[in-house]
């Protein structure tokens, strides 16, 4: 799959990219904030986006994911240190692939993506 | 914080309000008691003044009756002298009795007034003289004719005595009239005072009622204020906790990421394994944190059973071997937060070890994880059906970090690490008490 990674912490982003490549996916774009991520996604639509909720320059991963789904039909897999029930409910409408807590493991990430390709 | 601790501030507010309410209550009770005593006193005073007034009335009517009785006696005497009819003599007698009764009554009624008493003594003397002369005239009439009696009358002694009686009676009456005037003035004054006291009493009650109402509303304000402050404080606290929680998880992710990146770059298998192990330990701690501070969940709630089940499944499945079966016998148990991380690390070491040494690659294996209460404490067992431990194995013989760590962590839990001797494979147990 062609995946976009939206994560504001550089080392975590690097780690996620490595994990995704280990799992046999292609990382087509990397962004630290929602604005850059949106521009990249508009340039070349990915199959899915891996999105952190709190992003650089105070941008919001939830809003980005909504826009990606509403305008491009790109589904998101959320990765964050704190995922509240309210957030899950708010995001239910945009059909997310899943919500992964941090720290991320190879297994949880692999399971979530396998789930996405099966559907 | 410039505004101080809100909880403490509202506490002292409430304390002040309570003190104010107590002072008000004490004042109310005292004022009511005093006002009530004043009202009672005024009422008793009024009663006595009214009684004194009616006493004066009694004395005055007594004087009237006495005068009337003596006048009646004189009339009856004259009729007897003129007619000699004995019924008039009887009438004299009944008037005499009435006069005596009246003067005795007057004597009794005025026994608190020496001046009136002296007058009554004089009156009694004059009355006796007058009655004695009436007796003389009537005796003269019985023995003879009216002439002799008229002669006695003509002497004028009876008339003089009767004049004296009238004069003294007038003096008595004058004194009583004066007393009556004074007493009715007093009664009017006391009545006015009583009404004033009643009005003050009512006014005081109204004032206190109004003040109490105002204090109650003030107290309500303080309470509402306190509730608001607490709400804000709670919201702040929740926000802060969420923030810290987020940061902790992010930091753990950063550490895990760095270790994973490093492990990907090293060539040497042992070094890579060491880094992978480290990563597993970091993730085990991260899982504890995840369960303890689950956003929106119960904070500080750690179910060791739930944790053990999930971690065991995760570790076994991430091994990626279809022929390794996991068997669990796990009870749910809520543990003290301080016991969570040590137990998690022990579990991680034991299961990782079992997967590494207890599952030979050439045949199917079975790992068993059991957790539950035992006596006053808990027992965690991890066993496998592999080749078993080398003979004479103790945690010290093999200076692996894993074994030493398990021993140290078991001590931290206040428990002990036991190496079992099953007929097949290896078995390890950690027994530890409930947190105090």
């Amino acid at each position: 799959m062609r995946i976009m990674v939206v994560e504001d912490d550089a080392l975590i982003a690097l780690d996620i990219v490595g994990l995704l490549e280990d799992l046999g996916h292609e990382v087509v774009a990397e962004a630290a904030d929602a604005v850059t991520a949106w521009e990249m996604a508009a340039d070349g639509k990915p199959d899915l986006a891996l999105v952190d909720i709190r992003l650089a320059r105070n941008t919001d991963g939830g809003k980005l994911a909504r826009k990606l789904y509403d305008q491009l039909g790109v589904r998101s897999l959320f990765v964050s240190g704190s995922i509240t029930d309210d957030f899950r409910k708010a995001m239910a409408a945009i059909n997310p692939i899943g919500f992964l807590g941090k720290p991320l493991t190879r297994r949880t990430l692999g399971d979530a993506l396998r789930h996405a390709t099966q559907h | 914080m410039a505004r101080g601790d809100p909880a403490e501030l509202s506490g002292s507010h409430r304390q002040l309000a309570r003190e104010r309410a107590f002072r008000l209550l004490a004042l109310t009770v005292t004022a009511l008691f005093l006002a009530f005593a004043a009202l009672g006193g005024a009422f008793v005073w009024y009663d006595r003044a009214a009684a004194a007034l009616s006493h004066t009335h009694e004395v005055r009517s007594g004087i009237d009756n006495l005068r009337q009785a003596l006048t009646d006696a004189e009339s009856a005497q004259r009729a007897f002298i003129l007619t000699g009819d004995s019924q008039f003599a009887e009438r004299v007698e009944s008037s005499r009795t009435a006069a005596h009764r009246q003067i005795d009554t007057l004597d009794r009624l005025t026994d608190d007034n020496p001046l009136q008493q002296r007058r009554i003594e004089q009156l009694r003397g004059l009355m006796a003289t007058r009655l004695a002369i009436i007796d003389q005239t009537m005796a003269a009439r019985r023995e003879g004719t009216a002439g002799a009696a008229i002669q006695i009358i003509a002497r004028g002694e009876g008339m003089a005595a009767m004049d004296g009686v009238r004069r003294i009676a007038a003096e008595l009456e004058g004194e009583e009239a004066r007393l009556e005037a004074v007493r009715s003035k007093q009664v009017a004054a006391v009545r006015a005072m009583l009404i004033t006291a009643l009005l003050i009493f009512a006014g005081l009650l109204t004032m206190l009622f109004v003040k109490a109402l105002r204090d109650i509303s003030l107290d309500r304000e303080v309470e509402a204020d306190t509730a608001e402050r607490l709400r804000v404080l709670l919201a702040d606290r929740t926000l802060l906790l969420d923030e810290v929680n987020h940061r902790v998880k992010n930091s753990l992710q950063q550490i895990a990421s760095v270790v994973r990146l490093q492990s990907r770059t090293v060539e040497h298998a042992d070094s890579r394994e060491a880094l992978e192990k480290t990563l597993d330990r970091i993730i085990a701690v991260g899982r504890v944190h995840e369960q303890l501070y689950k956003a929106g969940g119960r904070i500080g709630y750690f179910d060791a059973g739930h944790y053990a089940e999930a971690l065991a499944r995760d570790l076994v499945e991430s091994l990626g071997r279809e022929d390794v079966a996991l068997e669990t016998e796990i009870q749910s148990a809520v543990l003290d937060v301080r016991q969570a991380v040590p137990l998690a690390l022990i579990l991680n070491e034991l299961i990782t070890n079992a997967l590494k040494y207890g599952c030979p690659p050439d045949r199917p294996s079975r790992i068993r994880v059991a957790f539950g209460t035992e006596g006053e404490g808990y027992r965690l067992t991890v066993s496998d059906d592999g080749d078993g431990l080398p003979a004479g194995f103790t945690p010290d013989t093999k200076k692996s970090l894993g074994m030493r760590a398990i021993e140290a962590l078991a001590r931290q839990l206040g428990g002990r690490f036991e190496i079992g001797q099953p007929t097949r494979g290896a078995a390890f147990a950690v027994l530890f008490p409930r947190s105090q």
Side-chain angles (χ1 to χ4, degrees):
Chain A
M1 273 198 291
R2 299 171 68 253
I3 299 174
M4 174 165 80
V5 174
V6 192
E7 162 67 63
D8 65 336
D9 190 294
L11 286 177
I12 296 175
L14 208 57
D15 178 35
I16 291 173
V17 170
L19 284 174
L20 289 171
E21 284 171 357
D22 284 355
L23 291 163
H25 300 286
E26 185 193 351
V27 175
V28 294
E30 275 182 65
D33 66 275
V35 179
T36 317
W38 173 247
E39 284 166 5
M40 287 176 154
D43 278 353
K45 200 185 95 165
D47 293 335
L48 69 86
L50 202 139
V51 182
D52 186 8
I53 297 172
R54 292 201 207 176
L55 295 170
R57 282 181 274 286
N58 268 327
T59 52
D60 181 347
K63 279 186 193 154
L64 171 69
R66 195 182 291 280
K67 205 169 162 189
L68 286 172
Y69 186 75
D70 288 346
Q71 300 193 16
L72 301 174
V74 175
R75 291 171 72 197
S76 293
L77 171 59
F78 291 104
V79 177
S80 177
S82 53
I83 296 163
T84 62
D85 287 342
D86 286 347
F87 184 79
R88 283 173 200 268
K89 277 182 206 140
M91 290 298 132
I94 65 160
N95 194 19
I97 288 160
F99 302 89
L100 293 179
K102 286 179 179 176
L104 207 59
T105 67
R106 190 188 303 267
R107 205 176 95 74
T108 53
L109 184 61
D111 284 354
L113 290 171
R114 212 168 18 256
H115 203 250
T117 47
Q118 278 167 6
H119 288 272
Chain B
M1 269 199 288
R3 59 179 174 163
D5 181 10
E8 199 177 297
L9 211 65
S10 69
S12 73
H13 262 243
R14 207 177 295 172
Q15 180 66 24
L16 276 178
R18 225 176 282 141
E19 274 170 23
R20 205 168 46 231
F22 181 75
R23 275 201 298 276
L24 184 68
L25 184 71
L27 194 75
T28 310
V29 171
T30 312
L32 284 181
F33 186 77
L34 286 177
F36 194 73
L39 262 180
F43 185 76
V44 169
W45 192 7
Y46 176 76
D47 192 48
R48 279 174 59 175
L53 191 62
S54 89
H55 179 261
T56 315
H57 282 293
E58 261 183 85
V59 175
R60 289 184 77 176
S61 82
I63 293 164
D64 269 348
N65 290 344
L66 177 64
R67 245 191 325 236
Q68 189 59 50
L70 287 177
T71 311
D72 284 352
E74 278 186 332
S75 301
Q77 169 217 19
R78 276 194 289 274
F80 183 74
I81 289 166
L82 287 175
T83 62
D85 190 341
S86 67
Q87 66 157 321
F88 293 114
E90 279 164 26
R91 215 181 277 174
V92 166
E93 282 315 304
S94 73
S95 295
R96 182 201 306 276
T97 313
H100 277 299
R101 202 174 55 238
Q102 289 301 333
I103 201 153
D104 285 346
T105 305
L106 283 174
D107 195 9
R108 189 169 39 76
L109 286 173
T110 60
D111 63 356
D112 58 338
N113 189 333
L115 196 69
Q116 295 290 72
Q117 286 274 295
R118 229 173 19 246
R119 285 189 181 119
I120 282 172
E121 278 319 299
Q122 278 180 307
L123 194 61
R124 203 188 280 280
L126 289 166
M127 196 179 91
T129 309
R130 182 67 188 107
L131 288 171
I133 287 164
I134 286 174
D135 286 346
Q136 282 172 27
T137 55
M138 284 171 65
R141 175 69 178 81
R142 272 195 204 94
E143 278 164 17
T145 55
I150 290 166
Q151 261 182 2
I152 297 167
I153 291 168
R155 284 212 299 270
E157 287 166 10
M159 285 271 267
M162 196 56 194
D163 282 346
V165 166
R166 287 203 180 89
R167 186 171 42 82
I168 301 288
E171 275 178 27
L172 271 172
E173 195 156 38
E175 174 65 8
E176 288 304 320
R178 190 186 63 77
L179 281 174
E180 188 180 333
V182 168
R183 284 170 183 172
S184 56
K185 239 185 248 165
Q186 221 170 43
V187 166
V190 173
R191 193 184 289 131
M193 246 156 65
L194 199 63
I195 289 166
T196 312
L198 263 172
L199 286 176
I200 290 171
F201 190 68
L204 203 66
L205 271 180
T206 311
M207 205 180 77
L208 290 171
F209 183 66
V210 168
K211 189 149 164 45
L213 276 183
R214 219 180 41 213
D215 262 42
I216 287 168
S217 84
L218 258 175
D219 202 46
R220 263 198 212 119
E221 268 172 43
V222 169
E223 228 163 71
D225 197 40
T226 307
E228 181 54 32
R229 279 165 193 275
L230 283 176
R231 247 197 306 281
V232 170
L233 201 68
L234 195 67
D236 281 356
R237 179 185 163 281
T238 308
L239 214 64
L240 195 69
L241 196 71
D242 282 351
E243 180 62 25
V244 169
N245 181 28
H246 180 87
R247 290 201 183 284
V248 168
K249 284 190 193 157
N250 222 53
S251 299
L252 282 167
Q253 176 68 68
Q254 282 174 329
I255 296 163
S257 288
V258 169
V259 173
R260 193 152 41 210
L261 286 168
Q262 188 70 62
S263 80
R264 205 175 275 128
T265 60
V266 296
E267 297 293 326
H268 203 277
D270 281 355
S271 308
R272 183 188 292 248
E273 196 200 314
L275 285 169
E276 290 288 341
K277 267 192 176 176
T278 305
L279 188 62
D280 280 346
R281 288 166 185 151
I282 294 165
I283 299 225
V285 173
R287 279 177 157 283
V288 171
H289 196 83
E290 175 74 25
Q291 209 192 318
L292 279 180
Y293 302 101
K294 203 166 224 150
R298 267 200 283 169
I299 288 157
Y301 177 92
F302 181 76
D303 184 340
H306 182 262
Y307 181 90
E309 181 88 42
L311 184 75
R313 227 153 265 295
D314 220 35
L315 289 173
V316 172
E317 282 173 23
S318 65
L319 192 69
R321 272 182 60 182
E322 295 286 318
D323 60 346
V324 174
L326 173 69
E327 195 181 282
T328 57
E329 192 187 327
I330 287 168
Q331 288 176 13
S332 169
V334 176
L335 254 59
D336 190 295
V337 177
R338 284 169 298 176
Q339 294 185 317
V341 170
L343 184 70
L345 288 171
I346 290 172
L347 258 168
N348 183 66
E349 296 305 321
L350 287 177
I351 297 170
T352 312
N353 272 355
L355 289 172
K356 192 175 173 193
Y357 303 108
C359 304
D362 51 344
R363 59 177 167 88
S365 309
R366 198 165 50 86
I367 288 182
R368 189 170 172 279
V369 178
F371 176 77
T373 51
E374 187 180 270
E376 288 296 290
Y378 300 100
R379 181 188 190 92
L380 167 71
T381 319
V382 176
S383 52
D384 59 64
D385 59 355
D387 297 332
L389 297 167
F393 178 92
T394 70
D396 301 327
T397 51
K398 192 164 175 275
K399 284 281 177 197
S400 80
L401 173 61
M403 285 292 157
R404 280 189 292 134
I406 294 167
E407 266 214 323
L409 290 165
R411 267 203 306 278
Q412 188 180 332
L413 288 173
R416 62 178 195 278
F417 178 41
E418 278 179 2
I419 297 171
Q421 271 152 6
T423 47
R424 195 168 168 221
F428 300 94
V430 171
L431 291 96
F432 63 98
R434 266 174 231 276
S435 177
Q436 298 305 307

